[in-house]
Amino acid sequence: MSSDIGYVTYTLVAIVAGLLLLPVLLDGEPDGPAIALFHQASVAATRRKKESAIYRSRETPFGFPLRQGLGIQQGYTKRNGDVRDIWKVFMQKPGQLHTILGNDKVVHSIDTLDDEIDKLGEYISGLKTSRARKVVAVYLPNSAENLVAGFACAFYDFTFVPIQYPAEVEVVEEKLRNTDAEILIMPAASLDLNDLKTATSLKHVILVVEEGSRHLDFASEPTATVTLKEWHDIAANGKKGARPEKLDESQPHMLVFSKNLKLQKNEVVPYSHINIVSAVSAQATFLPPKDQLKQSDVFTPASTLADQYTRIVTYTAMLAGSTVIVNAVTPPSGSLQSSCENAIPSVIVVPADTLANIYRMSKAAQCELFHEWMHIYQLRKLVRYGQAPKSSGFARFNDYDRPNLGQNLRLIFVAENPAEGTKPLTCNMLNDLRAIMFSKIVYAFTYPPAAAGAITQTTSYDYRPGKDTATFKDTHMGPPMSSLEIKLRDAAEYTVENEDEPIGEIVVAGPSVTTEGEYATGIIGRWRNDGCLALGSKD
Amino acid sequence: MDAPAAPVAEAIPLVTPLNLLLASLAAYLVYLRYKPTTLPTLPPQPPPLLYKPYTPRTLQRYNGTDDPRVLLAVKGTVFDVSAGRSFYGPGGPYSIFAGRDASRGLAKGLLEEELLTSVDAPIDSLDDLTAQEREVLDGWFETFEGKYLVVGELVNEGQEEEK
């Protein structure tokens, strides 16, 4: 018998031992519990006629209040806070604010920026406007000035109107007209002011001049019909104002431009302080703790700060004390790679169209067998082991054409916005993108006229593959945020009594919703049995 | 004892029972690793109940005997008290309230059939309750709200459609 045991047997024993032990040593833990993906929303036990049950986040089930605000501890009680508290918390935490200017990185002193808030607030308070409440339009690229202007508006109780940069003169003019903004902050020489003045109530312009051009005098233009002032002049020589104690809660803090799909026209949507802070705090607690934004994170908004979702996530990063690095170059006008270059971010926000383009380009660039094998291996890691692929020398060996955002990237926020007509990213596309970008991706459903921030959002570890067919591409947007509740209502041929999954018009309500009570979006949604929202019907 | 002459270099057979066993074990382990997985499924959640108007007559069915669900109405709101079947179900101490408008009985703290409004009469307006009785009733209402599911409202005969 003993003569039977030879080298073949020993080899087999080694193989069996290896097959048993190596998975234990090398496989690792999944990123999240797969079982938690089956009932992602809290569903009401009753429903009204012609309506589905109300769906809520599992964080705020029925019987508990929806998330109202930041919950800032004050003595023995907690208060909701407002946008000012985000800046105050950011000042206390070790997070920093950097600006990328080409190849240089400017590290801002938070105290200097805090002074700038007061100087800007004082200067704007002193300006003469025809209405008591001042409306400040901010037509700036992503920059420290953009954020400072937003917080100055919060501290001094002005209405803040972020306008996407760059834009055509006519677009800016229309937005100024629709919001009756009398004060505009813009980069020097980016618009011809004499063109603007004719059709708007614009009275005062603050010019942001880059450092290299400050020897030129932009403020004294003899033909100007508006008062001109340079930002660096205010920052250097301005007087610090006293921040008002109380804000007028009845007035909106921020005005957002969006298309209203129900009315089929552009409108100005007012966001109150409560809308914004409830959306920020819902965003802050949405992800499982290990994926949440932390002090160690480097956050870059690779999307315009005029987009409300980008701004809400940026505020969330500031609240968490992450280091925020802004770059004036952002998609869609710039490339994603150049917007993150020199920042080496760990968390970014990207417009959905940019990510869809990256998907298309990078999939086409996987032309070698090695690329395909690597991709299949990474998808298998995702789907079977629930682990997001990590960037490594081996994975990047002989790499194909894809954006390289550095080793630190771990999380991408991307938002679907039906008002912008973005093309939905399907489950399988998102999985491919996770492998392409070496990052987790959180996919949000937003609709600016309805609610601040996201309405629903996928969990960071939801890597379930989509059940695609020739005619149907599986896609979903995850469970509701904790700051609102959602239900579906019968609309046209869609009924919530649909045998499989209720279908109907999406109706939202809660602290982050722009109206008191319910807001009917006019968008048809389908509620899946796993508690996730999907857009459109199945056929 | 003489050792046997130089051991014969016996050819070790490749196919032995042990090798076969190990090879099949290895193959099975590889299969386990690469077999297509099906995600586990959880039973679907029960469908939500329809919130609807009840009249005293339609409510009467839900007394636990004719229909397994036990409903009762307090101050015009219908509660599903099936979870408290041992109290409100058949044979329970409060079974008298099952399928009925329990407001007056709860307010007065009496379990008397005569106190409850007849199912043919219009809904009790509760106007003649004393302040103390009203307080007791509100207390009961809150208890029910905290404990049981609101499944509808109590309306007069003929008003179901308006709601």
Side-chain angles (χ1 to χ4, degrees):
Chain A
M1 188 64 199
S2 65
S3 60
D4 285 359
I5 299 176
Y7 60 94
V8 177
T9 314
Y10 288 127
T11 313
L12 283 170
V13 167
I15 289 171
V16 168
L19 284 169
L20 283 172
L21 280 176
L22 285 179
V24 178
L25 296 174
L26 299 180
D27 272 4
E29 288 281 295
D31 292 336
I35 208 85
L37 297 173
F38 289 100
H39 295 318
Q40 294 190 44
S42 168
V43 187
T46 56
R47 66 180 184 90
R48 297 249 171 190
K49 206 171 171 186
K50 295 185 175 169
E51 285 179 356
S52 74
I54 293 174
Y55 304 98
R56 278 195 180 193
S57 162
R58 301 222 81 148
E59 294 170 55
T60 51
F62 296 90
F64 292 86
L66 290 168
R67 212 171 285 285
Q68 304 277 340
L70 303 171
I72 289 173
Q73 196 80 36
Q74 192 168 50
Y76 293 109
T77 54
K78 285 191 172 177
R79 62 187 175 85
N80 291 335
D82 48 51
V83 175
R84 297 178 295 177
D85 291 295
I86 296 168
W87 179 258
K88 287 180 192 161
V89 171
F90 183 58
M91 279 191 72
Q92 285 161 8
K93 292 198 172 169
Q96 289 178 310
L97 184 62
H98 303 177
T99 309
I100 301 288
L101 295 169
N103 285 329
D104 299 329
K105 185 192 275 181
V106 180
V107 179
H108 297 278
S109 144
I110 303 288
D111 292 320
T112 312
L113 294 179
D114 196 47
D115 283 352
E116 273 183 35
I117 288 178
D118 286 323
K119 286 170 178 167
L120 187 68
E122 174 67 15
Y123 174 74
I124 294 176
S125 301
L127 294 174
K128 278 201 172 53
T129 50
S130 50
R131 256 160 298 111
R133 191 176 173 83
K134 295 186 167 64
V135 181
V136 183
V138 177
Y139 174 65
L140 289 175
N142 286 5
S143 58
E145 284 85 6
N146 191 328
L147 288 169
V148 165
F151 286 110
C153 289
F155 278 107
Y156 286 85
D157 208 8
F158 311 135
T159 304
F160 173 49
V161 185
I163 298 176
Q164 182 164 356
Y165 181 97
E168 300 286 321
V169 182
E170 295 79 34
V171 177
V172 178
E173 192 180 309
E174 191 201 336
K175 289 180 173 176
L176 290 175
R177 200 168 344 112
N178 290 346
T179 52
D180 283 327
E182 295 178 57
I183 302 159
L184 173 67
I185 305 179
M186 65 168 215
S190 62
L191 293 173
D192 190 345
L193 285 168
N194 294 328
D195 284 356
L196 276 183
K197 174 64 182 157
T198 49
T200 64
S201 48
L202 195 65
K203 289 198 173 63
H204 312 282
V205 174
I206 298 168
L207 298 167
V208 177
V209 187
E210 57 188 270
E211 204 143 12
S213 312
R214 286 188 186 165
H215 60 283
L216 298 170
D217 190 4
F218 287 95
S220 58
E221 203 184 300
T223 57
T225 48
V226 293
T227 60
L228 295 170
K229 187 84 177 169
E230 286 154 332
W231 180 291
H232 61 265
D233 187 19
I234 300 172
N237 310 319
K239 210 164 89 254
K240 275 176 74 174
R243 298 174 175 177
E245 282 287 300
K246 278 192 89 66
L247 303 180
D248 185 359
E249 295 281 351
S250 64
Q251 295 291 330
H253 164 58
M254 187 159 111
L255 299 179
V256 171
F257 303 95
S258 175
K259 189 175 181 187
N260 187 321
L261 292 173
K262 213 165 187 179
L263 307 173
Q264 281 301 322
K265 65 176 180 111
N266 293 323
E267 65 173 4
V268 176
V269 191
Y271 284 5
S272 68
H273 279 275
I274 291 295
N275 288 157
I276 293 171
V277 290
S278 61
V280 167
S281 61
Q283 183 63 259
T285 55
F286 181 82
L287 297 175
K290 67 172 180 177
D291 286 335
Q292 281 171 13
L293 281 149
K294 287 183 277 286
Q295 293 188 356
S296 54
D297 275 315
V298 176
F299 173 80
T300 295
S303 165
T304 167
L305 280 170
D307 169 49
Q308 58 92 13
Y309 181 74
T310 310
R311 193 168 275 274
I312 296 283
V313 180
T314 309
Y315 284 177
T316 312
M318 296 178 80
L319 191 71
S322 312
T323 293
V324 176
I325 303 188
V326 284
N327 187 343
V329 179
T330 52
S333 49
S335 80
L336 178 63
Q337 172 122 12
S338 52
S339 111
C340 295
E341 214 137 54
N342 302 322
I344 319 183
S346 60
V347 182
I348 58 173
V349 188
V350 185
D353 281 344
T354 306
L355 216 50
N357 282 339
I358 289 172
Y359 168 79
R360 219 167 306 123
M361 310 267 280
S362 302
K363 281 298 275 182
Q366 292 177 348
C367 43
E368 284 178 33
L369 206 54
F370 175 76
H371 298 157
E372 273 174 40
W373 283 354
M374 199 66 206
H375 194 75
I376 289 168
Y377 168 74
Q378 284 173 340
L379 283 188
R380 186 178 144 78
K381 263 282 206 227
L382 265 172
V383 173
R384 174 135 182 183
Y385 298 101
Q387 292 164 357
K390 290 195 179 63
S391 181
S392 66
F394 181 64
R396 284 237 179 240
F397 172 71
N398 183 23
D399 206 2
Y400 54 91
D401 185 19
R402 56 175 156 182
N404 188 350
L405 306 188
Q407 288 280 334
N408 291 344
L409 188 69
R410 67 172 184 91
L411 188 59
I412 297 174
F413 285 97
V414 58
E416 157 81 5
N417 181 357
E420 300 270 314
T422 47
K423 206 167 174 226
L425 301 167
T426 66
C427 297
N428 289 337
M429 267 172 90
L430 282 170
N431 268 351
D432 283 337
L433 279 165
R434 286 180 182 110
I436 290 167
M437 304 292 292
F438 298 108
S439 165
K440 293 177 184 178
I441 298 179
V442 167
Y443 185 42
F445 166 58
T446 61
Y447 183 54
I455 294 172
T456 64
Q457 204 165 256
T458 59
T459 21
S460 54
Y461 56 88
D462 188 352
Y463 309 135
R464 291 171 298 169
K467 298 181 187 77
D468 286 1
T469 63
T471 53
F472 171 73
K473 299 285 174 242
D474 204 2
T475 174
H476 74 85
M477 270 102 188
M481 304 296 289
S482 53
S483 56
L484 45 70
E485 54 185 30
I486 307 176
K487 63 184 169 190
L488 303 177
R489 188 181 282 157
D490 283 1
E493 73 266 35
Y494 304 106
T495 167
V496 296
E497 275 160 30
N498 188 37
E499 54 190 294
D500 186 18
E501 295 159 339
I503 301 178
E505 180 182 8
I506 299 167
V507 179
V508 293
S512 67
V513 175
T514 51
T515 51
E516 284 289 314
E518 293 173 355
Y519 184 99
T521 58
I523 300 167
I524 300 300
R526 173 166 54 86
W527 207 271
R528 307 186 348 156
N529 291 326
D530 59 1
C532 294
L533 175 74
L535 294 190
S537 68
K538 251 185 176 173
D539 28 57
Chain B
M1 231 168 76
D2 281 326
V8 182
E10 222 179 300
I12 303 163
L14 196 64
V15 183
T16 64
L18 186 63
N19 282 4
L20 278 179
L21 188 76
L22 286 169
S24 51
L25 187 61
Y28 181 64
L29 286 172
V30 170
Y31 165 74
L32 274 189
R33 203 161 161 76
Y34 287 92
K35 80 167 180 189
T37 44
T38 44
L39 286 166
T41 46
L42 289 186
Q45 287 166 314
L49 301 168
L50 189 60
Y51 182 97
K52 61 182 180 188
Y54 293 87
T55 65
R57 216 184 275 276
T58 53
L59 187 65
Q60 211 184 7
R61 263 188 73 220
Y62 300 97
N63 55 8
T65 329
D66 305 335
D67 190 291
R69 285 168 71 199
V70 186
L71 305 188
L72 61 77
V74 183
K75 289 204 330 190
T77 305
V78 179
F79 292 95
D80 187 334
V81 294
S82 307
R85 209 184 158 79
S86 51
F87 286 103
Y88 305 100
Y94 298 98
S95 61
I96 184 173
F97 294 144
R100 299 293 292 272
D101 180 5
S103 314
R104 187 164 288 267
L106 290 171
K108 296 208 184 279
L110 296 171
L111 295 169
E112 287 169 19
E113 177 72 44
E114 303 87 71
L115 268 180
L116 300 178
T117 326
S118 154
V119 288
D120 301 314
I123 295 172
D124 196 344
S125 64
L126 305 171
D127 289 334
D128 55 332
L129 292 185
T130 64
Q132 203 185 348
E133 285 168 348
R134 211 168 280 278
E135 210 173 290
V136 173
L137 182 58
D138 288 344
W140 275 105
F141 188 82
E142 268 173 38
T143 315
F144 275 95
E145 245 189 341
K147 251 181 161 166
Y148 302 112
L149 209 55
V150 177
V151 293
E153 52 202 308
L154 194 65
V155 296
N156 277 317
E157 212 74 44
Q159 286 180 344
E160 304 98 308
E161 281 316 300
E162 292 167 31
K163 294 284 173 179

